[in-house]
């Protein structure tokens, strides 16, 4: 595995890459959800390129940028096991050599909904760094997890609207045996909070099995008074209004202690 830190090193490694190039973008603190993305990329591409960068643009003041877990040595060990060819681990100065960019990607009205409503400016930061990394890595295909379902949709929209020649593929959410969606932020949870956090996946499963998905999900959240619900919504697969029947998506976000978690599930409305 070739670990590169500068733009020049990345350009040299990318120029030497042959065949189909797949990129997996992460903020580090890798877990088996990330490993599943890397395995999917390894199975489909000739060259797998991993990026590890904690992007300050997507953290609002008071969020967890400073305490976000940074475990580079362990991350590179996981990457090596997963068959990564190139790991790009830039500093903030490498990614933003002129400081915070004055021009950012506008996510449009959809960027102010759900995660965008709760975290103003979040998708400006996400799409800006993803677009920059697309320009630097020039992949043929990119893999993103469906746990961040709205983010996946926003990236697909950016690729479509900017005519980027990249195939964006989603990989299903990886869960613990008890149902908790894997997240780098799970390590913040105390044991009691970890147990309480299971209400997110329980509420989604309850909603998917019920005639009234939102009502059933909210009832499940009511059983965990220590968990503060942010949203629990039913949409179509493209995050538009909920359909009368057919494929749909349930999405939720909640605070468990001082940790904000998100999750979602696909369902079929009869």
């Amino acid at each position: 595995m070739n670990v590169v830190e500068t733009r020049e090193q990345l350009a040299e490694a990318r120029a030497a890459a042959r065949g189909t190039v797949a990129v997996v973008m992460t903020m580090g603190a890798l877990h088996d959800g990330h490993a599943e993305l890397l395995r999917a990329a390894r199975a489909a591409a000739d060259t797998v390129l991993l990026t590890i960068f904690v992007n300050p643009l997507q953290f609002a003041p008071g969020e967890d940028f400073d305490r976000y877990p940074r475990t580079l040595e362990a991350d590179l060990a996981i990457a090596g096991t997963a068959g990564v060819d190139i790991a790009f681990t830039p500093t903030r100065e490498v990614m933003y050599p002129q400081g915070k960019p004055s021009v950012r990607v506008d996510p449009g009205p959809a960027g102010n909904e759900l995660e965008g409503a709760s975290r103003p400016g979040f998708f400006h930061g996400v799409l800006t760094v993803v677009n920059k990394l697309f320009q630097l890595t020039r992949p043929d295909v990119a893999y993103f997890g469906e746990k961040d379902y709205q983010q996946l949709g926003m990236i697909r929209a950016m690729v479509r609207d900017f005519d980027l020649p990249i195939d964006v593929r989603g990989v299903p959410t990886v869960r613990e045996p008890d149902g908790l969606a894997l997240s780098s932020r799970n390590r913040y949870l105390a044991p009691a909070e970890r147990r309480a956090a299971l209400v997110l996946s329980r509420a989604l499963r309850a909603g998917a099995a019920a005639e009234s998905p939102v009502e059933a999900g909210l009832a499940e959240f009511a059983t965990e008074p220590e968990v503060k619900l942010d949203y629990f919504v039913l949409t179509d697969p493209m995050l538009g209004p909920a359909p009368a029947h057919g494929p749909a998506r349930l999405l939720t976000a909640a605070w468990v202690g001082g940790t904000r978690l998100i999750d979602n599930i696909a369902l079929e409305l009869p």
Side-chain angles (χ1 to χ4, degrees), residues 20-32:
T20 301
V21 176
V23 69
V24 174
M25 299 181 186
T26 79
M27 293 205 301
L30 301 189
H31 49 66
D32 199 52

Side-chain angles (χ1 to χ4, degrees), residues 25 37 52 74 87-88 99 144 177 196-197 209 214 268:
M25 299 181 186
L37 295 174
I52 299 175
F88 181 44
F144 295 91
V214 173
E268 188 81 15

Side-chain angles (χ1 to χ4, degrees), residues 9 12 14 18 23 35 38 61 82 99 102 118 136 141 146 155 176 191 209 214 222 241 252 257:
Q9 291 170 342
E12 183 178 352
R14 178 62 183 84
R18 293 293 179 264
V23 69
L38 295 172
S102 58
S118 298
L136 292 170
V141 59
E146 290 186 356
I155 291 170
E176 298 279 9
V214 173
T252 189

Side-chain angles (χ1 to χ4, degrees), residues 125-147:
V126 169
L127 296 182
T128 297
V129 77
V130 168
N131 192 33
K132 285 173 69 70
L133 287 169
F134 277 156
Q135 307 308 320
L136 292 170
T137 61
R138 295 180 290 112
D140 301 294
V141 59
Y143 288 84
F144 295 91
E146 290 186 356
K147 183 183 77 69

